[in-house]
Amino acid sequence: GAGVSQSPSNKVTEKGKDVELRCDPISGHTALYWYRQSLGQGLEFLIYFQGNSAPDKSGLPSDRFSAERTGGSVSTLTIQRTQQEDSAVYLCASSLEASGSYNEQFFGPGTRLTVL
Amino acid sequence: GDSVTQMEGPVTLSEEAFLTINCTYTATGYPSLFWYVQYPGEGLQLLLKATKADDKGSNKGFEATYRKETTSFHLEKGSVQVSDSAVYFCALSSTSGGSYIPTFGRGTSLIVHP
């Protein structure tokens, strides 16, 4: 079956521009996670959704970052007024649910964002 | 807060060599522990997991044992192959608050030469 997909795979933008990154989770997965992977760093948790609600937004680095999820499916991560330090690979993952016993996370291939 | 520390890479081995990638953690309560693998150009995949002390996770010849006394979850493989070349991430998932937000280490790159 189809895995988690992300688009675009690569995005080059100029400092100050807004960008939108998209994640399509596995069908039926109610939980969706966004992470950021910077060069030489581990995965930095950004936000997760259970259904369409985001119980934990604590990882968002600044108010320039926002995310939404509609219909319990597709999610969009928006970065406004991008800065060079936003350059990273943005990873999306989904799982059956986010609470109760641990459910394996399935990751997408990521979006590589470069801010010039 | 929770944290995961894993050995820095790259780890460079010849085919059929023994592999150990060290991972230690700090967490409150009783976390679940995981190893994920990221092959070049792909997303992370769960390699193995252990949910309680003394559990051993295993998959594809890789093993790791949940050691509560040493707060460790070292990854081992008896004989690596070129196809094992990838980045390996140790992670924990805390049960705090009822939701599972994993904490990941920085990753360890493994390069296996023929």
Side-chain angles (χ1 to χ4, degrees):
Chain A
V4 177
S5 61
Q6 294 186 244
S7 61
S9 55
N10 279 284
K11 177 70 176 179
V12 179
T13 191
E14 295 179 348
K15 178 181 172 181
K17 301 278 190 179
D18 297 351
V19 296
E20 283 190 355
L21 312 179
R22 177 187 167 107
C23 173
D24 282 271
I26 292 173
S27 178
H29 281 192
T30 65
L32 186 148
Y33 304 77
W34 283 99
Y35 297 90
R36 180 167 68 175
Q37 185 178 23
S38 302
L39 189 63
Q41 303 295 314
L43 271 67
E44 176 187 5
F45 166 75
L46 299 178
I47 187 172
Y48 90 94
F49 291 88
Q50 178 62 50
N52 291 333
S53 65
D56 191 335
K57 302 180 182 180
S58 62
L60 294 177
S62 74
D63 58 8
R64 296 186 294 105
F65 287 72
S66 63
E68 65 175 14
R69 188 180 187 196
T70 55
S73 182
V74 172
S75 176
T76 302
L77 177 68
T78 301
I79 309 173
Q80 296 178 308
R81 306 181 302 282
T82 52
Q83 303 295 311
Q84 289 183 331
E85 61 262 29
D86 299 334
S87 296
V89 176
Y90 290 82
L91 293 170
C92 174
S94 71
S95 66
L96 283 171
E97 58 181 86
S99 59
S101 58
Y102 177 80
N103 289 284
E104 177 183 349
Q105 294 193 357
F106 294 81
F107 283 80
T111 294
R112 181 175 298 278
L113 174 66
T114 304
V115 182
L116 301 177
Chain B
D2 297 345
S3 67
V4 174
T5 302
Q6 57 183 111
M7 60 190 293
E8 291 190 19
V11 173
T12 304
L13 296 172
S14 297
E15 206 164 25
E16 299 183 4
F18 184 84
L19 167 72
T20 299
I21 300 178
N22 291 338
C23 172
T24 57
Y25 67 90
T26 303
T28 54
Y30 302 94
S32 296
L33 303 174
F34 312 90
W35 278 100
Y36 281 82
V37 59
Q38 185 176 30
Y39 298 104
E42 299 183 12
L44 277 73
Q45 307 171 26
L46 180 66
L47 180 60
L48 53 85
K49 69 180 182 183
T51 57
K52 62 182 188 296
D54 300 324
D55 267 4
K56 177 186 284 187
S58 61
N59 186 25
K60 299 182 180 179
F62 291 89
E63 294 183 340
T65 301
Y66 189 142
R67 301 287 188 199
K68 190 171 185 297
E69 64 277 12
T70 55
T71 61
S72 65
F73 193 55
H74 305 322
L75 182 68
E76 296 181 338
K77 186 174 185 182
S79 176
V80 294
Q81 305 300 312
V82 173
S83 57
D84 293 327
S85 298
V87 180
Y88 293 81
F89 292 88
C90 185
L92 69 81
S93 184
S94 171
T95 59
S96 174
S99 62
Y100 288 74
I101 310 297
T103 299
F104 286 83
R106 293 190 172 191
T108 301
S109 176
L110 171 64
I111 302 169
V112 181
H113 294 295

